[in-house]
Amino acid sequence: MARRRRQLEPKGKDEDVRMTAGLITAGVVSIVIVASMFIAPPANVGPEEGSLAPDFVASAYNGGNWEEVRLSQLYDGRLVLITFLDTDCPHCWTEAEYLSEIFDGISGEVMFITIAVELSITGHESTREEIEAFRDKTQFGDNQNNGDGCYSGRKNCAERPGAPHSWMYVDDLSSSIASEWELPGTPFNVILDGEGTVVWNQAQSENHPAGEDMGEALLRLLQEGE
Amino acid sequence: MANPLADPVLLFFIAALFASGYLLANGRGKKGLEGTNRMLDGGLAFATTGLLGSAWTWVIYNDLVRNPLGGEFCATEGFVQCGSVIGDPRYNNFFGISWGMLGFTAFATLFFLILCIRMDPLAKWSEQYTNYAWWLGLAGVPFLFILVGIEIFVVQHICPFCTIAHLALIGYLISVWTLRERREISAWY
């Protein structure tokens, strides 16, 4: 009977190489990350003071029609006042009036941008038509508390106090910008320097002179910039 | 940067893809463990190219976040450019994490798996790791389709370094597929 030679199956190495492979991978990853961060350090992006403002691309209404804008492409060296408003929020009516009052005096040095959001509250449902009417103070809705119009659907948008606004209103009814900017409520203001760094955030009052509101902050920042 | 196709970094990555492909093809022509090792070298080279390519897109991302109007490391105008993909806040991240960093993490995992097999292709676990390498690589394919779809149909620009990472993933998958095939026909060693 012919003897059949059984082919021996080759054996792997005695030691487990996976730990070594893990260490090599960790080493490669560390070197690449350190080198990448050296070449282009990650920017600190967020709504906090000192951070680069989160960029966004969204539709904005400028009085004529809606056009796509990108925040970072709007910077022109002026301070940027970003105001989050909800056309149905009663406090936003007061804020809108305040914005109308301060606009004329400082519009050459400050760019105004309003971001229209829709808070998750019954009666705060909004539309682009409502945003346009709020900005332009045109007829939209009535005073019948039937859900149409501004101010929780209780008032005609034309009755908003203050003058019509002439700056852009950005549509953020989907709340995507609000989420990235960690919007705590409305109205809410953030001031950016001319290159997009957050220099004043309403929610960080501990960093500001006692009781300073947005208008006072703008004046202070403008004086500091002179 | 005027012509992205003349970018030395891009040329380096293209050369790395060709070298990886050469290693893989060279291994296929060889029998036994020598051929397997050469093919594993090819897979490892594809994973390394993907790792470095993804890291480079992360560098470009960080640069464009600071300089949205035009970065230092990739063109932001023309058909082949990074500005409309890596520089666009709508498409350059996945739940806040840059695609470059996600790709880097994925390729680091694939690199580890294939490195383990390369260091000991005869280990008991090497077959299982080859399968892990295949399925994990395959998990990246839907993301590849999403990103290529955005490039072609939405922004209608081609991001060169993103394409390097995509090609590296495809090359890696071909490597692992042929390695699995090699096992099936008992040509591993």
Side-chain angles (χ1 to χ4, degrees), chain B residues 52-74:
Chain B
L52 295 175
S54 301
W56 192 247
T57 64
W58 186 55
V59 164
I60 296 167
Y61 169 86
N62 289 334
D63 182 37
L64 288 176
V65 166
R66 286 181 193 279
N67 310 295
L69 297 182
E72 198 182 331
F73 304 109
C74 187

Side-chain angles (χ1 to χ4, degrees), chain B residues 20-172:
Chain B
S20 310
Y22 171 76
L23 286 170
L24 178 65
N26 185 256
R28 287 196 79 178
K30 288 196 166 101
K31 287 183 179 171
L33 197 56
E34 191 192 350
T36 303
N37 277 337
R38 195 63 68 243
M39 287 171 69
L40 283 164
D41 289 341
L44 199 57
F46 275 121
T48 309
T49 308
L51 186 89
L52 295 175
S54 301
W56 192 247
T57 64
W58 186 55
V59 164
I60 296 167
Y61 169 86
N62 289 334
D63 182 37
L64 288 176
V65 166
R66 286 181 193 279
N67 310 295
L69 297 182
E72 198 182 331
F73 304 109
C74 187
T76 48
E77 286 176 355
F79 179 65
V80 179
Q81 56 142 301
C82 302
S84 62
V85 185
I86 306 179
D88 193 314
R90 288 170 297 181
Y91 311 118
N92 65 6
N93 67 87
F94 185 67
F95 292 106
I97 303 171
S98 77
W99 283 109
M101 186 39 78
L102 283 169
F104 179 77
T105 310
F107 275 113
T109 312
L110 301 179
F111 176 89
F112 166 72
L113 289 172
I114 206 132
L115 180 64
C116 286
I117 306 167
R118 175 64 182 89
M119 288 177 73
D120 192 356
L122 302 175
K124 281 180 187 166
W125 42 260
S126 73
E127 184 171 3
Q128 198 182 17
Y129 270 44
T130 313
N131 290 332
Y132 290 160
W134 169 248
W135 292 113
L136 279 174
L138 216 54
V141 172
F143 299 102
L144 187 151
F145 277 116
I146 291 170
L147 292 170
V148 172
I150 289 171
E151 285 181 67
I152 295 173
F153 300 111
V154 183
V155 298
Q156 295 176 346
H157 290 135
I158 294 294
C159 161
F161 296 102
C162 313
T163 306
I164 293 290
H166 301 159
L167 291 174
L169 178 62
I170 292 167
Y172 171 88

Side-chain angles (χ1 to χ4, degrees), chain A residues 95-144:
Chain A
E95 190 75 359
E97 183 179 19
Y98 185 44
L99 289 170
S100 300
E101 284 168 10
I102 63 172
F103 177 76
D104 286 338
I106 56 172
S107 62
E109 296 149 293
V110 180
M111 182 193 304
F112 284 56
I113 297 173
T114 294
I115 299 178
V117 299
E118 181 184 282
L119 298 179
S120 307
I121 301 171
T122 309
H124 282 238
E125 296 78 15
S126 195
T127 59
R128 282 195 175 181
E129 290 72 28
E130 191 172 316
I131 295 170
E132 290 172 13
F134 183 92
R135 176 191 179 275
D136 299 338
K137 286 192 67 180
T138 50
Q139 302 292 330
F140 188 81
D142 50 36
N143 296 331
Q144 300 299 314

Side-chain angles (χ1 to χ4, degrees), chain A residues 83-85 90-100 165 187-189 202 214:
Chain A
T83 305
F84 287 87
L85 291 181
H91 294 294
C92 297
W93 280 52
T94 320
E95 190 75 359
E97 183 179 19
Y98 185 44
L99 289 170
S100 300
H165 293 162
F188 182 70
N189 293 290
Q202 187 180 321
M214 169 264 286

